[in-house]
Amino acid sequence: MKKKILLIAVILVFALLAASLSSCGRQATERVDETPASQATEMPAPAEAAETEEPVVTEEPRDWEPVETKFGDLRYPDQWFDSLETEQTETDDSVTVAFRAKVNEQSFDLFDVCIGENTVEGEAVGMLTGPDGVQREAFLRFHELGEITGLNEGETNRVYAMQEALNFVIDHLQ
């Protein structure tokens, strides 16, 4: 009789244990099912996904604008891009980009970047890879601003900040 009671007790313990485990599984399933339809996404079958989906390329937020040249793009901070003027001079072996600040109808030479042959007698600052895959040396010539007249303090600070953006251009040579 003791064996029967012990056997029944063991069966009841296992039954209770099995019941509690199965209810935990159901709660987890129910929680998944409670996901709002706006958050639920259907996953395509693996064969379909391989055939129809392109690889997803995520771009990081851009805080610059390109200055396009035939030997590759230079990057300039978008914060000052609306006040920026550029002028390009091309030869077979080089491109020189003159960067100028345009504030209140006044133009201030900031710096020049030369890609390829050094036509600006500037300092080598890095390499730029062109659309043809060729790396070319980049050179920079800094212009002294001298005395800035006719601008208020905020506008004067903008011109100096635009000139300091040469560091951004150098740091983003590719």
Side-chain angles (χ1 to χ4, degrees):
M1 181 79 171
K2 282 185 178 181
K3 285 184 181 181
K4 274 187 171 180
I5 294 176
L6 185 58
L7 183 60
I8 292 173
V10 169
I11 292 173
L12 284 175
V13 167
F14 280 117
L16 288 173
L17 183 61
S20 68
L21 288 176
S22 69
S23 71
C24 286
R26 262 186 272 138
Q27 288 175 348
T29 304
E30 289 171 5
R31 286 187 187 134
V32 170
D33 293 340
E34 291 174 4
T35 304
S38 63
Q39 293 178 357
T41 57
E42 271 188 44
M43 297 298 291
E48 288 179 29
E51 294 174 13
T52 59
E53 287 187 23
E54 296 282 326
V56 177
V57 178
T58 56
E59 289 185 22
E60 49 186 77
R62 205 168 83 171
D63 59 350
W64 53 270
E65 295 293 330
V67 177
E68 297 173 358
T69 76
K70 71 178 184 179
F71 291 144
D73 293 348
L74 300 170
R75 296 177 176 183
Y76 191 84
D78 64 357
Q79 172 180 9
W80 310 116
F81 200 74
D82 290 342
S83 300
L84 181 70
E85 288 183 335
T86 60
E87 181 181 328
Q88 293 188 29
T89 307
E90 293 185 13
T91 68
D92 290 338
D93 300 324
S94 69
V95 173
T96 301
V97 182
F99 288 79
R100 295 185 188 96
K102 176 109 176 162
V103 181
N104 289 345
E105 303 304 318
Q106 293 186 55
S107 189
F108 302 92
D109 291 331
L110 303 172
F111 56 91
D112 299 330
V113 175
C114 181
I115 306 156
E117 186 180 313
N118 187 1
T119 60
V120 296
E121 298 178 16
E123 297 293 320
V125 292
M127 302 293 283
L128 182 68
T129 304
D132 56 1
V134 175
Q135 282 195 328
R136 294 174 179 84
E137 199 157 18
F139 301 90
L140 181 113
R141 179 175 58 189
F142 181 82
H143 294 283
E144 291 293 330
L145 288 172
E147 187 176 332
I148 297 177
T149 59
L151 301 180
N152 65 36
E153 184 179 351
E155 293 164 337
T156 300
N157 289 340
R158 181 179 344 151
V159 171
Y160 284 117
M162 290 178 70
Q163 187 175 49
E164 288 177 16
L166 66 89
N167 293 314
F168 185 94
V169 173
I170 293 168
D171 289 343
H172 289 84
L173 289 173
Q174 297 185 348

